[in-house]
Amino acid sequence: MTLRIGGGLLVAAGVLALAACGGSSSSSRGGAAPAVQLDVVSSAPDQVSGGDVRIALRGDEEVLSGISLRLNGETVSHDGLQGDDGAREGLVTGLVLGDNLLEVQHPRHGTLTSVALVNYPITGPMFSGPHQYPFVCTTDTQFGLQPLVDEGATEGFAVYDDEDQLIGYSRDCSVAPFVEYWYRTSGNSYARLPSDGSRPADMVTTVLLDGREVDFIVRWERGTINRFLYSYAMLATLEEANDQPGALDTGLWNGRLLYHFQGGVGIGHTQGRMDYNRRAMKPDVLGLGYAIAYSTGNRTGEHYNLQVGGETALMVKEHFVKRYGKPLYTVGLGASGGGIQQYIYAQNHPGLIDAGVPVQAYTDMVTQTIHIGDCELLEHYMDVTDADNTKWHTTDNRMWLVGLHATDNVPDPMAQAKTLLNANLGTNYGIAPGSTECIESWRGLTPLAMNPHFGNAPGQDNMLPAGIMDDVQWTHYDDLRNIFGVDGNGDPRTLFDNVGVQYGLQALLDGNITPAEFLDLNARVGGWKHPSEMVQEGFPFISSSTDYLMNNPHDFDPWSRRNMNLSPDEGVTPAPRTEGDIIAMNGAYESGMVFHGHADIPLIDWRPYLEEELDMHNVHQSFALRQRMLDAVGHTDNQVIWFTDARPTEEFDQVPMALQVIDEWMTNIRENPERSVTENKPAAAVDSCFDNQGELIARGANVWDGILNEATEGACTQVFPTYTTSRIVAGAPIQGNFFKCALKPVDTALEDGTYGSWTPDGAQIARLKQIFPQGVCDYSQPDVGRP
């Protein structure tokens, strides 16, 4: 299968067809030229950035000793190419923007080989489309540096001199790279290394993978790449620190690169914030001798454009390789959105990471919004529309509709407000003693993702002219307008669709709701307005103050009811459903924003079990990922699923163990390249579950049986219950990758067993057809939104 990303064809399950050494050899004297292999080490040849490239030459030593390099017809220095015994490697500088031709020439044999290079600016973009603008710079708050002024810019982030005089504007937020030396203290923090060359008394030591004990000193490089803030960290010696800016010493680097991805949910328009201690300079990893690469462009809390994120990661790794050399391997690490990125980038950009430890990952964000977009629609139905139904006053019963876990152990944060309003205003808001995951974890995501009026970027007041941010559409759809496109009105195309979705279908089949309740639910649940029709949110989104609520009780709207399409006459006329845009759905698939299941690298999918806390990182996601991989390639031998119990509290971090197992796996692959990824698995790389102290409960090929198959529940399945989603309750499969279901007539559904033992009478059939005039979802057919 192929994915088309940014106009270029990317092979998702193979090797990029453009070979790094792709040039023809020739001889000026007519004889056969000696073979010389030219490899581009730092990136794909058509994805070079910043004007320089790291190359490697291999061939006969006598021939290599006499070669010269020509770049775009001009001879360039190759003094930086180091090595002997038939191998040379180093940096070639001076590339022009756009197309370049690098040739290897020999005085006797002429041009031995060549490679076409495409060079992009260090500010990007390469393939992600036009930069998002307006864009708030954060180099001042994160680095203490003003961004460079962009010549000719008449608006943007305001840059001032030391006397607070405006000197210009920055649109790309660039700063020059800089290096500092820090050390780890006995107080478990980082501090700047003294400039006088002394060794601090509170400096600790660390033990490397090879057993050496060394001072915990960090060479910390930072700057901007693709407009985002990047960081490289690795151990250094006191001698190097005191010799700065002298020769780089990588003697304490163990050759392994950890790329730390980060999660969160954001809508862009900002350079972002760095997490230094836990991610950019994660001490338990850095102290083993790993190098760590990090970028705010790979923090989904700043944006959810994984095309921009993948491009950023490619560029950040490229420049790491140019500065420090090619790693033995690159392993990804990151939770939530950081886990998503590992799956997505393994699919979209083979070779970017060689292995991954995705923690609390989802399949991807865009298909996650399918069922999360149902959350408030269903909670509103239970709290408001059907508030008199005492079934919804029992917390557990709400799972019948939302699928996600629910428990009385986590109270509804709006219960007190509902009680006050019911008492003072005579409202009739339904109240259950506990919460669902929809309430505890996902409330507010719909406004953030869909409502153009709800959102901002920290520091946006520094944008000039004043008000430049006022016209920003704060939606996920606008953040990805380069992918989803815009409609005839200039509005971003949207994904959410619930046409034909039969909410609560499984609850009907199980006898938990009656046919009358099923019909009422689907007639009145409604859908979402188009973002262009939405208005600003109410309480608690624009204020969480009790005083505000008491003074503005009619502003109470934790469901975003004001932005729903509801029945105009209490269900007599069915509430309109929402129809998504097929072009946007196609774009999500074609851009690689959807995880299709192609990720053939070693993966340890680790998840602390947090279902009892109603944490948003619900555990069924690991198996949705697995099923997509099964659908795509027929096996998941390279994916290992680990759960660690977090009941009653999260006690143990399994990541160090996972990194150790990954290192064994990658060592096996390096030493046995003729074997497959599966054949190189170490013994510990197997499905497992652990208690909250990290002690093994069970491991083996069958421990998760009963989730994706009909087998008896495995040992881990029995200990860790999994839950579903609103769309699984409505009949969709666990993969969760149906933006828009195919539809079948109600008459077909009545005949094919969709409704189990329920045999509707004439009036009920007529009502079904009134609610679903286009038909109901047929999940036996592929997603209509998939191209």
Side-chain angles (χ1 to χ4, degrees):
M1 97 168 256
T2 58
L3 300 172
R4 189 164 298 278
I5 298 191
L9 191 64
L10 183 69
V11 180
V15 179
L16 193 65
L18 180 60
C21 53
S24 60
S25 298
S26 63
S27 172
S28 60
R29 303 188 184 280
V36 171
Q37 180 178 335
L38 166 60
D39 291 317
V40 178
V41 177
S42 50
S43 69
D46 62 343
Q47 292 180 341
V48 179
S49 65
D52 51 15
V53 62
R54 190 178 188 93
I55 65 166
L57 294 173
R58 291 173 178 81
D60 183 86
E61 176 61 28
E62 183 178 350
V63 174
L64 289 184
S65 64
I67 60 98
S68 62
L69 297 180
R70 288 175 63 85
L71 179 63
N72 300 325
E74 300 290 333
T75 300
V76 295
S77 170
H78 61 283
D79 293 342
L81 297 183
Q82 303 296 321
D84 51 25
D85 295 330
R88 302 280 193 280
E89 185 171 325
L91 206 62
V92 175
T93 62
L95 277 67
V96 299
L97 289 178
D99 295 333
N100 293 262
L101 180 64
L102 179 64
E103 300 170 286
V104 179
Q105 294 196 325
H106 191 276
R108 289 183 53 207
H109 303 292
T111 301
L112 299 179
T113 187
S114 64
V115 63
L117 305 168
V118 183
N119 175 50
Y120 297 88
I122 193 68
T123 54
M126 288 197 297
F127 53 75
S128 65
H131 277 322
Q132 187 180 65
Y133 188 76
F135 193 69
V136 176
C137 304
T138 58
T139 57
D140 56 339
T141 61
Q142 300 297 296
F143 292 164
L145 299 173
Q146 289 277 30
L148 299 176
V149 171
D150 292 323
E151 186 176 350
T154 58
E155 61 182 19
F157 190 85
V159 182
Y160 298 90
D161 62 18
D162 292 339
E163 298 179 353
D164 291 330
Q165 297 297 309
L166 180 67
I167 59 174
Y169 304 90
S170 182
R171 291 170 64 93
D172 288 332
C173 303
S174 299
V175 297
F178 63 99
V179 174
E180 294 176 345
Y181 290 85
W182 291 62
Y183 71 96
R184 192 74 178 167
T185 75
S186 56
N188 294 322
S189 63
Y190 285 106
R192 286 286 297 273
L193 201 63
S195 59
D196 62 5
S198 63
R199 186 186 187 281
D202 63 342
M203 180 190 294
V204 299
T205 60
T206 185
V207 178
L208 306 179
L209 283 180
D210 61 12
R212 285 180 290 167
E213 184 175 358
V214 300
D215 287 336
F216 203 140
I217 298 172
V218 181
R219 183 185 198 275
W220 192 15
E221 177 185 332
R222 287 171 288 171
T224 52
I225 292 176
N226 206 24
R227 301 205 303 172
F228 294 100
L229 312 176
Y230 79 86
S231 163
Y232 303 139
M234 67 170 58
L235 293 180
T237 63
L238 187 61
E239 291 74 20
E240 178 194 334
N242 291 336
D243 190 37
Q244 61 171 311
L248 172 67
D249 181 358
T250 59
L252 301 183
W253 179 32
N254 64 26
R256 298 152 176 85
L257 174 63
L258 183 141
Y259 202 118
H260 213 313
F261 302 96
Q262 192 170 357
V265 181
I267 309 297
H269 295 282
T270 178
Q271 207 172 15
R273 297 174 294 115
M274 298 194 85
D275 185 325
Y276 297 121
N277 195 51
R278 292 192 302 155
R279 293 179 174 86
M281 302 216 300
K282 184 174 173 63
D284 55 341
V285 173
L286 202 56
L288 295 173
Y290 284 76
I292 300 178
Y294 175 94
S295 170
T296 58
N298 296 117
R299 177 176 178 154
T300 53
E302 311 303 349
H303 67 86
Y304 241 109
N305 188 328
L306 300 191
Q307 199 173 71
V308 171
E311 175 182 77
T312 301
L314 287 168
M315 295 174 72
V316 169
K317 183 179 177 183
E318 171 199 6
H319 286 272
F320 176 91
V321 173
K322 288 191 285 193
R323 285 161 171 74
Y324 303 106
K326 186 176 181 179
L328 290 174
Y329 65 84
T330 302
V331 57
L333 175 65
S336 191
I340 290 174
Q341 290 182 79
Q342 293 173 68
Y343 278 101
I344 290 289
Y345 301 156
Q347 168 183 272
N348 294 354
H349 309 294
L352 172 62
I353 58 174
D354 303 299
V357 182
V359 180
Q360 298 174 308
Y362 301 101
T363 48
D364 53 64
M365 188 56 199
V366 288
T367 56
Q368 190 72 10
T369 62
I370 295 172
H371 62 270
I372 296 307
D374 293 337
C375 267
E376 304 305 353
L377 298 175
L378 293 168
E379 293 288 348
H380 176 263
Y381 177 81
M382 292 183 284
D383 279 351
V384 181
T385 308
D386 200 33
D388 287 334
N389 190 336
T390 57
K391 287 181 177 179
W392 314 130
H393 302 175
T394 298
T395 305
D396 285 357
N397 294 351
R398 294 184 170 227
M399 286 190 286
W400 297 342
L401 303 189
V402 301
L404 303 167
H405 190 32
T407 176
D408 286 342
N409 295 328
V410 180
D412 180 356
M414 293 292 109
Q416 182 179 7
K418 292 179 192 175
T419 300
L420 286 172
L421 293 173
N422 286 349
N424 295 337
L425 296 182
T427 53
N428 187 33
Y429 297 130
I431 302 172
S435 287
T436 66
E437 185 188 312
C438 280
I439 295 171
E440 175 64 15
S441 289
W442 295 107
R443 178 163 282 163
L445 185 68
T446 298
L448 178 63
M450 297 187 189
N451 191 339
H453 307 288
F454 183 72
N456 58 63
Q460 67 182 43
D461 292 343
N462 292 325
M463 299 292 293
L464 291 177
I468 192 173
M469 305 294 285
D470 291 349
D471 293 331
V472 171
Q473 294 195 39
W474 295 100
T475 68
H476 170 69
Y477 307 127
D478 191 72
D479 191 18
L480 273 69
R481 61 166 48 221
N482 291 351
I483 292 172
F484 299 152
V486 296
D487 61 22
N489 297 319
D491 293 314
R493 298 182 184 275
T494 62
L495 290 175
F496 184 79
D497 187 289
N498 67 347
V499 174
V501 174
Q502 299 190 87
Y503 291 110
L505 178 61
Q506 190 62 50
L508 172 70
L509 297 176
D510 292 341
N512 291 324
I513 61 174
T514 66
E517 290 169 332
F518 172 75
L519 292 170
D520 185 71
L521 165 65
N522 282 285
R524 303 175 72 180
V525 67
W528 293 106
K529 295 178 180 177
H530 189 275
S532 63
E533 300 172 333
M534 287 186 171
V535 297
Q536 184 56 280
E537 300 294 326
F539 184 91
F541 302 116
I542 60 171
S543 173
S544 57
S545 164
T546 303
D547 289 340
Y548 177 91
L549 177 61
M550 292 300 98
N551 292 325
N552 303 274
H554 297 289
D555 211 25
F556 182 67
D557 190 6
W559 319 275
S560 301
R561 169 191 173 94
R562 64 196 63 203
N563 290 314
M564 293 177 183
N565 287 321
L566 299 171
S567 171
D569 47 23
E570 298 186 353
V572 176
T573 302
R577 297 294 181 91
T578 302
E579 186 158 9
D581 193 304
I582 297 292
I583 293 176
M585 297 171 191
N586 289 175
Y589 278 109
E590 292 173 336
S591 66
M593 284 293 292
V594 174
F595 179 62
H596 302 277
H598 293 274
D600 59 358
I601 61 173
L603 292 164
I604 297 181
D605 186 297
W606 177 59
R607 195 173 299 270
Y609 187 82
L610 299 168
E611 292 291 323
E612 295 309 310
E613 300 176 22
L614 303 182
D615 187 272
M616 63 172 53
H617 304 99
N618 45 75
V619 299
H620 99 277
Q621 296 293 334
S622 291
F623 303 100
L625 283 157
R626 174 161 287 186
Q627 188 61 56
R628 290 195 192 183
M629 295 172 73
L630 284 169
D631 293 343
V633 298
H635 71 87
T636 58
D637 294 341
N638 61 301
Q639 184 214 33
V640 174
I641 295 178
W642 289 358
F643 281 11
T644 301
D645 208 341
R647 297 168 292 186
T649 58
E650 187 174 354
E651 299 286 349
F652 196 83
D653 183 359
Q654 219 79 44
V655 166
M657 177 182 174
L659 289 175
Q660 182 179 355
V661 173
I662 287 290
D663 189 56
E664 294 176 23
W665 203 339
M666 295 306 299
T667 299
N668 291 345
I669 289 172
R670 219 167 37 250
E671 294 178 350
N672 304 284
E674 75 283 359
R675 298 179 185 173
S676 69
V677 171
T678 304
E679 291 169 334
N680 277 307
K681 289 172 70 171
V686 64
D687 287 348
S688 306
C689 56
F690 307 85
D691 67 18
N692 70 348
Q693 299 299 313
E695 296 296 324
L696 181 69
I697 296 173
R699 68 164 43 130
N702 303 317
V703 295
W704 297 117
D705 273 0
I707 297 177
L708 297 181
N709 58 32
E710 300 300 321
T712 302
E713 287 189 350
C716 294
T717 307
Q718 295 175 39
V719 177
F720 298 99
T722 59
Y723 301 91
T724 65
T725 70
S726 56
R727 295 297 171 104
I728 295 175
V729 171
I734 191 173
Q735 294 94 314
N737 53 353
F738 280 80
F739 285 116
K740 185 175 183 63
C741 63
L743 299 174
K744 59 186 177 184
V746 169
D747 286 337
T748 300
L750 292 168
E751 295 171 359
D752 67 9
T754 294
Y755 301 112
S757 61
W758 177 40
T759 304
D761 60 26
Q764 291 170 326
I765 292 172
R767 185 60 166 162
L768 277 170
K769 292 181 177 180
Q770 184 186 24
I771 296 168
F772 300 108
Q774 298 169 264
V776 298
C777 285
D778 181 357
Y779 289 111
S780 69
Q781 299 186 51
D783 179 11
V784 174
R786 186 166 190 162

